[in-house]
Amino acid sequence: MLYLVRMDVAFPESMPADERDRLKAAEKEFSQALQRDGRFRHIWRVVGEYANYSVFDVASNDELHEILSGFPLFPYMTMKVTPLAKHPNAID
């Protein structure tokens, strides 16, 4: 099943820079592992924002929830999940 997920990140202003850097490094490692195993198919930055659009290919809603809640930045994210279906006009 394919899902489009918009992720917006907002760190608390009081968060120390070293903690923010540690979380960003952990986030990169976590997300790249998901990309390598094929479940995190695409990630696109939203220009001018600390946000992205991502496409996940997973077996179920529960698997997607487990992945999203496992992101190190999850406590600082707002997410919008859109399930995707193949369009009848698509040639691929």
Side-chain angles (χ1 to χ4, degrees):
M1 298 174 68
L2 293 176
Y3 297 88
L4 176 69
V5 181
R6 173 162 173 141
M7 301 179 193
D8 291 86
V9 179
F11 290 113
E13 289 184 27
S14 62
M15 180 180 283
D18 60 334
E19 175 65 7
R20 192 170 48 248
D21 291 345
R22 185 191 66 75
L23 285 168
K24 287 180 179 181
E27 183 84 1
K28 182 176 183 176
E29 185 177 324
F30 185 82
S31 68
Q32 288 182 347
L34 291 167
Q35 290 172 65
R36 285 186 197 95
D37 75 19
R39 293 182 289 171
F40 195 166
R41 299 275 301 271
H42 300 279
I43 183 169
W44 297 96
R45 174 176 286 166
V46 178
V47 175
E49 301 179 36
Y50 196 161
N52 71 74
Y53 282 100
S54 298
V55 176
F56 291 87
D57 188 357
V58 296
S60 67
N61 294 336
D62 291 332
E63 183 180 3
L64 180 64
H65 179 77
E66 183 178 326
I67 288 170
L68 296 179
S69 61
F71 275 96
L73 296 183
F74 180 77
Y76 310 103
M77 288 181 179
T78 302
M79 297 185 197
K80 182 175 191 271
V81 177
T82 304
L84 300 174
K86 186 169 179 77
H87 194 283
N89 295 347
I91 60 173
D92 56 349

